[in-house]
């Protein structure tokens, strides 16, 4: 276990040390102390390193992650795990806006609440939020799964493509072209696996599934006057 | 991008440290707003007196003999405390409007930053650290205060474009965001006789609140009104003589974090601004909801 004091040694030193492991199969463990809300902690990692951040972070923690496991023992600012490709990011507290935005793969777990625009333009990432999510989540979501154990805010899944949304609580409103869909056995299986991997104590049968009505995929001449 | 910090104390023992804590918070927000900085501080009240904070680009000339001249114009006693480009004039309560009119005659180039029983506003162009140093914000005590670091978008980098804006007696407002209907709203408010002195969008937001309250709204109701009548992006933090309020627009793309303990309520554009507050590890920390008015009172 290596310990890095971010306040004493600075951000660049941390990210270059972690990025030096990129491409290796080195499974070292790192602990980052005194994050104090700093931005861009543990970004651009590409090795199976395990990073634990002892406190809350600012913008873009664990951005562009590949392979690494990043655990934040606190809350995170905007854009956690933005554009994640693979690996796992776990936030013990809350996440600010656009958590997991544009993510292509990997698993993002938020044990608290996520605010607005969680999973915006998601492209294959799996996101499990133990609490509630804010408005405009998964806007233009293309692929992947967004699982919410609590409630969802306004305009869930607006203009979404093929991303799937599973919500256990209430949904304040659905966005344009997002509808409730039938929960089939294959969805129960997907959900069971995600809940287990996210350490979430919930039954797949308690959730409702939402997704695209696929009515915005093609131009409809009846809508011509809207442009 | 701009930075906002705010601190509303519940624990009186922290009051002597208010300026010190706010200065640290303000400097942390430098990279969100290095153009200019300002602070509104709610200090102690001297019974029956009103404070006018004024600013001049030529303070030596403007403040020289100002207390005597104003005392003569108002036929009363006036004291002055000069701090760099600002000065705090102390006049009898109820003389505030008369003093404003007299100051406009006596020193036409001078600006009134604030008026009220406890509020003082200091703001200038420059790095937040330098601005705080010039006014010795660290040494100030008080019950609550609001600071702002500015990265200008809607109007020029000038002292009058810096925040906070005073919105009436003992009221102030800071803003992160940009309003898109400020020109039409400015014309409307000016037709109604509201005083607006700059081309800045935030001043229109501040004037809007004043106007609503002049028409009988409480501050809470005036803040609710912003959600309906203002178009654009905003996080507003407002101060009154004994209160502290926060509102975010419904889109809420401008960042905001709040923290509350038994000792204080704090606002920061980012969590970084709050990390050195006492007891922050055990504070309730949350992101204020969009289109929701938060308000605390002493």
């Amino acid at each position: 276990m290596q310990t890095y004091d971010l306040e004493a040694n600075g951000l660049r030193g941390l990210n270059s040390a972690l990025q030096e492991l990129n491409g290796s199969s080195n499974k070292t463990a790192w602990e980052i102390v005194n994050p104090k809300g700093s931005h861009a902690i543990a970004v651009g990692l590409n090795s199976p390193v395990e990073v634990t951040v002892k406190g809350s972070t600012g913008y873009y923690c664990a951005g562009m992650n590949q392979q690494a496991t990043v655990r934040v023992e606190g809350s995170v600012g905007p854009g956690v795990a933005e554009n994640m490709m693979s690996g796992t990011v776990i936030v013990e507290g809350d996440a600010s806006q656009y958590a997991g935005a544009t993510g292509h793969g990997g698993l993002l777990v938020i044990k608290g609440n996520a605010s607005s625009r969680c999973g915006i333009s998601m492209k294959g990432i799996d996101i499990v939020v133990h609490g509630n999510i804010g408005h405009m989540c998964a806007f233009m979501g293309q692929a992947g799964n967004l699982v919410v154990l609590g409630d969802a805010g306004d305009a869930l899944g607006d203009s979404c493509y093929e991303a799937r949304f599973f919500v256990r609580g209430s949904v304040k409103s659905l966005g344009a072209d997002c509808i409730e869909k039938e929960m089939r056995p294959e969805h129960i299986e997907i959900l069971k696996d995600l809940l287990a991997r996210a350490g979430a104590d919930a039954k797949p049968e308690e959730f409702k599934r939402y997704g695209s009505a696929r009515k915005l995929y093609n131009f409809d001449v009846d809508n011509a006057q809207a442009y | 991008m701009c930075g906002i910090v705010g601190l509303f104390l519940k624990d009186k023992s922290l009051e002597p440290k208010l300026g010190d804590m706010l200065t640290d918070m303000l400097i942390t927000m430098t990279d969100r707003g290095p153009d200019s900085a300002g602070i509104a501080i709610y200090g102690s009240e001297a019974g029956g007196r009103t404070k006018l904070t004024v600013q001049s680009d030529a303070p030596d000339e403007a403040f020289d003999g100002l207390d005597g001249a104003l005392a003569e114009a108002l036929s009363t006693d006036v004291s002055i405390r000069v701090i760099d480009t600002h000065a705090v004039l102390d006049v009898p309560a109820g003389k505030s409007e008369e003093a404003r009119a007299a100051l406009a005659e006596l020193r036409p180039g001078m600006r009134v930053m604030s008026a009220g029983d406890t509020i003082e506003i200091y703001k200038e162009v420059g790095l937040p650290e330098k601005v705080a140093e010039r006014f010795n914000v660290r040494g100030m005590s008080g019950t609550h205060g609001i600071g702002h670091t500015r990265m200008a978008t809607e109007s020029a980098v000038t002292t009058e474009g810096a925040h906070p804006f005073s919105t009436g007696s003992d009221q102030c407002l800071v803003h992160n965001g940009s309003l898109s209907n400020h020109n039409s709203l400015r014309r409307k408010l000016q037709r109604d006789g509201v005083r607006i002195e700059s081309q800045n969008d935030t001043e229109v937001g501040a004037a809007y609140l004043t106007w609503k309250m002049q028409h009988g709204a409480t501050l809470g109701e005036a803040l609710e009104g912003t959600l309906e009548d203002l178009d654009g992006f905003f996080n507003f933090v407002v101060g009154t003589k004994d209160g502290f309020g926060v509102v975010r627009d419904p889109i809420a793309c401008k960042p905001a974090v709040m923290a509350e303990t038994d000792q204080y309520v704090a606002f920061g554009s980012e969590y970084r601004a709050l990390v050195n507050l006492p007891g922050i590890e055990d504070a309730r920390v949350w992101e204020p909801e969009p289109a929701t008015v938060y308000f605390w009172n002493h």
Side-chain angles (χ1 to χ4, degrees):
Chain A
M1 169 80 75
Q2 306 227 37
T3 299
Y4 189 94
D5 186 333
L6 193 64
E7 196 179 22
N9 302 313
L11 180 68
R12 282 179 186 227
L14 171 72
N15 281 332
S16 46
L18 292 173
Q19 288 164 9
E20 260 175 37
L21 304 168
N22 285 358
S24 76
S25 55
N26 199 338
K27 264 196 151 187
T28 48
W30 287 66
E31 193 174 76
I32 301 165
V33 296
N34 290 320
K36 299 210 163 182
S38 300
H39 302 168
I41 293 174
V43 297
L45 309 190
N46 190 5
S47 74
V49 61
E50 295 202 0
V51 179
T52 303
V53 184
K54 309 291 275 185
S56 295
T57 74
Y59 280 79
Y60 308 125
C61 180
M64 302 176 285
N65 188 50
Q66 298 185 67
Q67 301 187 66
T69 299
V70 179
R71 181 186 293 273
V72 181
E73 294 182 353
S75 293
V76 292
V80 64
E82 194 171 65
N83 212 48
M84 175 152 70
M85 304 303 285
S86 63
T88 307
V89 175
I90 302 151
V91 179
E92 298 289 346
D94 298 330
S96 185
Q97 55 181 333
Y98 48 91
T102 75
H104 288 250
L107 174 67
L108 169 63
V109 180
I110 295 156
K111 299 268 179 91
N113 302 313
S115 71
S116 60
R117 294 171 276 272
C118 176
I120 186 169
S121 196
M122 55 194 285
K123 296 176 171 71
I125 189 174
D126 291 322
I127 304 174
V128 180
V129 181
H130 288 219
N132 305 323
I133 59 172
H135 63 278
M136 290 303 276
C137 286
F139 174 62
M140 291 185 80
Q142 289 144 59
N145 299 290
L146 171 63
V147 180
V148 183
L149 275 69
D151 302 330
D154 272 318
L156 174 69
D158 193 291
S159 307
C160 61
Y161 295 81
E162 293 302 304
R164 301 182 198 96
F165 319 125
F166 301 98
V167 183
R168 185 166 69 162
S170 65
V171 174
K172 198 167 174 197
S173 67
L174 292 170
D177 209 36
C178 183
I179 54 168
E180 189 182 338
K181 293 185 156 186
E182 181 198 0
M183 187 78 108
R184 295 195 297 268
E186 68 261 35
H187 303 122
I188 296 281
E189 286 309 308
I190 291 169
L191 198 46
K192 198 192 256 176
D193 171 60
L194 283 171
L195 290 168
R197 284 163 57 209
D201 182 22
K203 294 186 182 70
E205 294 77 15
E206 296 168 341
F207 289 76
K208 286 181 176 168
R209 179 171 74 103
Y210 305 87
S212 177
R214 303 189 178 104
K215 292 208 169 131
L216 292 178
Y217 277 29
N218 300 300
F219 179 70
D220 183 343
V221 75
D222 288 343
N223 294 334
Q225 283 189 320
Y227 297 98
Chain B
M1 194 152 72
C2 289
I4 298 177
V5 297
L7 198 51
F8 178 81
L9 300 179
K10 301 181 191 174
D11 179 352
K12 281 194 176 303
S13 73
L14 287 178
E15 289 181 8
K17 292 187 198 154
L18 179 72
D20 192 36
M21 293 192 284
L22 267 176
T23 301
D24 284 339
M25 293 166 78
L26 193 75
I27 291 171
T28 310
M29 290 293 98
T30 297
D31 47 13
R32 295 193 66 87
D35 291 343
S36 35
I39 198 145
I41 201 132
Y42 291 84
S44 57
E45 187 173 4
R49 307 292 293 183
T50 290
K51 293 193 271 193
L52 277 95
T53 311
V54 294
Q55 183 272 350
S56 171
D57 296 333
D60 291 347
E61 295 153 42
F63 302 152
D64 184 36
L66 180 62
D67 46 345
L70 186 61
E72 201 180 310
L74 301 178
S75 319
T76 182
D77 61 311
V78 172
S79 68
I80 189 167
R81 181 160 45 94
V82 176
I83 311 170
D84 200 80
T85 52
H86 288 48
V88 180
L89 292 158
D90 190 294
V91 301
K95 290 271 186 188
S96 160
E97 279 306 308
E98 219 179 306
R100 263 181 194 267
L103 288 171
E105 294 269 318
L106 291 167
R107 301 286 190 273
M110 205 169 68
R111 303 180 185 96
V112 177
M113 302 273 110
S114 67
D117 297 342
T118 62
I119 192 174
E120 293 172 20
I121 287 181
Y122 301 90
K123 59 187 190 185
E124 273 302 348
V125 171
L127 282 172
E129 186 178 9
K130 299 285 174 213
V131 174
E133 241 173 57
R134 285 171 74 169
F135 300 114
N136 189 25
V137 177
R138 255 186 217 289
M140 293 180 187
S141 63
T143 52
H144 52 302
I146 295 170
H148 187 272
T149 62
R150 180 169 188 236
M151 189 177 284
T153 54
E154 292 286 307
S155 67
V157 178
T158 56
T159 305
E160 59 187 343
H163 304 214
F165 287 92
S166 183
T167 60
S169 183
D170 276 314
Q171 287 159 11
C172 77
L173 169 133
V174 297
H175 173 209
N176 177 16
S178 53
L179 303 179
S180 28
N181 64 339
H182 65 100
N183 284 325
S184 58
L185 190 58
R186 182 185 295 107
R187 285 193 293 273
K188 185 181 158 185
L189 293 170
Q190 281 174 335
R191 273 200 300 276
D192 235 23
V194 180
R195 176 168 48 208
I196 300 177
E197 289 168 358
S198 73
Q199 291 303 304
N200 183 277
D201 58 334
T202 305
E203 193 187 6
V204 176
Y208 170 83
L209 294 178
T210 307
W211 174 76
K212 285 289 268 191
M213 287 185 281
Q214 279 168 356
H215 286 75
T218 62
L219 181 63
E221 286 162 353
L223 287 173
E224 290 278 353
T226 63
L227 298 168
E228 202 53 48
D229 295 329
L230 299 184
D231 187 15
F233 298 117
F234 54 88
N235 280 352
F236 287 140
V237 178
V238 298
T240 65
K241 190 174 166 184
D242 54 5
F244 179 77
V246 172
V247 65
R248 302 176 79 197
D249 72 78
I251 306 291
C253 65
K254 297 296 174 185
V257 185
M258 300 208 63
E260 185 167 12
T261 71
D262 291 343
Q263 291 186 293
Y264 58 80
V265 177
F267 179 99
S269 291
E270 297 176 25
Y271 180 72
R272 276 190 303 156
L274 312 179
V275 290
N276 289 325
L277 290 174
I280 190 71
E281 305 78 19
D282 302 315
R284 182 170 82 92
V285 177
W286 79 101
E287 183 171 310
E289 294 282 329
T292 305
V293 174
Y294 294 82
F295 203 74
W296 288 265
N297 250 75
H298 272 127

